[in-house]
Amino acid sequence: MAYHHGDLRTALVAAAIDAIEENGPAMLSLRDLARRVGVSHAAPVHHFGDKAGLLTAVAVDGFRLLEEALRAAGPDLLDVGVAYVRFAVGHRGHFEVMFRPELYRSDDPALVLARAKAGESLSGGLAALGAPAEGDRLAAWSIVHGLATLWLSGSLPASAYRQDPCELARVVAGRLFSPP
Amino acid sequence: MAYHHGDLRTALVAAAIDAIEENGPAMLSLRDLARRVGVSHAAPVHHFGDKAGLLTAVAVDGFRLLEEALRAAGPDLLDVGVAYVRFAVGHRGHFEVMFRPELYRSDDPALVLARAKAGESLSGGLAALGAPAEGDRLAAWSIVHGLATLWLSGSLPASAYRQDPCELARVVAGRLFSPP
DNA sequence: TGTACATCAGTGAACGCGCGTTCACTGATGTAC
DNA sequence: TGTACATCAGTGAACGCGCGTTCACTGATGTAC
């Protein structure tokens, strides 16, 4: 490894994801990150200023990935809901940061943009149904977000963890999106 | 204040709730707690051993309060769902700990019992409908849990915060419980 | 092609801080007789 | 009623640790001429 890392910023974000998935975002330390990447402990400061700066980068990354995933799943609302849960389970590090805005700078321009675009992707399936009420949008978001957070926190009954989370999401979200 | 506090254990749990609502459960420190209560920094160790012990007490407390709240909301499922959201918003300190089991000892007997009883209260409204599928139960839980966590994290659009959270919960949960 | 210089990325030593943990202790309370 | 003793609750000093922050520095890269 040369004196100049080449892409230290990207490497630090990746290491942050690992660290968050191990210990949660609150336990994250810049010194630990530097250790993981094999770099001086002052290097992360150079790139992000402080922990909030780093987590802002993680959140931006996450909202972009989420938008991509939801857009790719579309246009059917149930598929979008399943994709939301799949994203949360598959990118828990990102997800845990994204929905804890007190950890990062939620007024960062790049973040505001990425979050807004992800929000549009989520509403995409609903918009196709005409002009949906705000309540419909919130209900759809709530049910998939709730299932995702309950899953990630390990709070569900053991039986839930024996199935594929996407299958579970399809069953659960189906109760809302296509009631019997 | 005498040498013997009288009810230090209770006072410490109450201070913990305050601290958690200010800084989140991960930032909690036993020394800060001792300072808040006006007691030696070694005193909390005497009662709880360590941070996980303290947070276990907070979680037990929370599940008992939740069970009470859900039971009091009475047999209608929609009322129970609204009570769930009301509890989360009104006891955010407890709520944030309860659903982060990695922070406490989730195999503690008192905790296991309290959590199970709260779970039964949540299912109470469903059981009245006969023998509900697991999917129904998870859907109901997910939609109110999702709304609660989104609300608490400040992730909802600004318009949502201009209304009473209970009203919002009634509208949102109504989409699932009594579809048009 | 070669040299000089500016810029940028990363270093490493030093600092002060708050934390958890340990431990010998002391003050208060309750119980036995 | 009084005394002795055990138990329990809380103290306060000491320790080592990892953290964030600062700062003068050095190695690499790119550009001007």
Side-chain angles (χ1 to χ4, degrees):
Chain A
M1 196 67 60
Y3 193 99
H4 277 197
H5 180 282
D7 202 3
L8 181 54
R9 190 189 161 90
T10 305
L12 284 169
V13 171
I17 296 298
D18 289 348
I20 291 163
E21 296 188 353
E22 286 171 30
N23 310 313
M27 289 299 173
L28 192 69
S29 101
L30 295 183
R31 282 181 106 112
D32 175 55
L33 237 50
R35 241 174 275 126
R36 284 169 188 261
V37 176
V39 100
S40 148
H41 66 264
V45 181
H46 219 276
H47 282 275
F48 299 105
D50 58 10
K51 191 159 29 173
L54 198 237
L55 290 177
T56 303
V58 170
V60 169
D61 213 33
F63 279 113
R64 283 183 187 150
L65 289 171
L66 177 60
E67 194 233 337
E68 224 173 274
L70 297 185
R71 193 172 295 283
D76 183 72
L77 182 53
L78 186 51
D79 292 332
V80 173
V82 171
Y84 190 96
V85 175
R86 180 187 295 118
F87 173 84
V89 172
H91 298 81
R92 59 175 303 165
H94 284 105
F95 193 79
E96 282 178 22
V97 174
M98 290 156 67
F99 294 100
R100 244 175 272 174
E102 77 277 8
L103 293 176
Y104 56 81
R105 287 189 250 288
S106 41
D107 55 349
D108 178 276
L111 184 112
V112 170
L113 178 64
R115 189 176 44 198
K117 289 179 76 173
E120 284 168 26
S121 303
L122 182 61
S123 307
L126 279 169
L129 306 175
E134 182 71 4
D136 287 313
R137 188 172 174 279
L138 274 189
W141 190 11
S142 292
I143 202 168
V144 291
H145 188 83
L147 181 62
T149 54
L150 287 170
W151 173 283
L152 287 178
S153 73
S155 300
L156 295 177
S159 62
Y161 293 99
R162 283 193 287 271
Q163 345 179 4
D164 173 43
C166 295
E167 278 310 306
L168 187 62
R170 193 167 289 278
V171 170
V172 167
R175 309 281 158 149
L176 176 67
F177 298 159
S178 48
Chain B
M1 198 67 58
Y3 193 99
H4 278 196
H5 180 283
D7 202 2
L8 182 53
R9 189 189 160 91
T10 305
L12 284 169
V13 171
I17 297 297
D18 289 348
I20 290 163
E21 296 188 352
E22 286 170 31
N23 310 313
M27 290 298 173
L28 192 70
S29 102
L30 294 183
R31 283 182 108 112
D32 175 55
L33 237 50
R35 241 174 275 127
R36 285 169 188 261
V37 176
V39 99
S40 148
H41 67 264
V45 181
H46 218 276
H47 283 274
F48 300 105
D50 57 11
K51 191 159 31 172
L54 198 237
L55 290 177
T56 303
V58 169
V60 170
D61 212 33
F63 279 113
R64 283 182 187 150
L65 289 171
L66 176 61
E67 193 232 340
E68 224 173 273
L70 297 185
R71 193 171 295 284
D76 184 72
L77 183 53
L78 186 51
D79 292 332
V80 173
V82 171
Y84 189 96
V85 175
R86 180 187 295 117
F87 173 84
V89 172
H91 298 81
R92 60 174 303 165
H94 283 104
F95 193 80
E96 283 179 19
V97 175
M98 291 156 68
F99 294 101
R100 242 175 272 176
E102 77 277 9
L103 292 175
Y104 56 83
R105 287 189 249 287
S106 40
D107 55 349
D108 178 275
L111 184 111
V112 170
L113 178 65
R115 190 176 43 197
K117 289 179 76 173
E120 284 168 25
S121 304
L122 183 60
S123 308
L126 278 170
L129 305 176
E134 182 71 4
D136 286 313
R137 187 171 175 279
L138 274 188
W141 191 10
S142 292
I143 200 167
V144 292
H145 189 82
L147 182 63
T149 54
L150 286 170
W151 172 284
L152 288 178
S153 72
S155 301
L156 294 176
S159 62
Y161 294 99
R162 283 193 286 271
Q163 346 179 5
D164 173 43
C166 296
E167 279 309 307
L168 187 61
R170 195 167 289 277
V171 171
V172 167
R175 309 280 159 150
L176 176 68
F177 298 159
S178 47

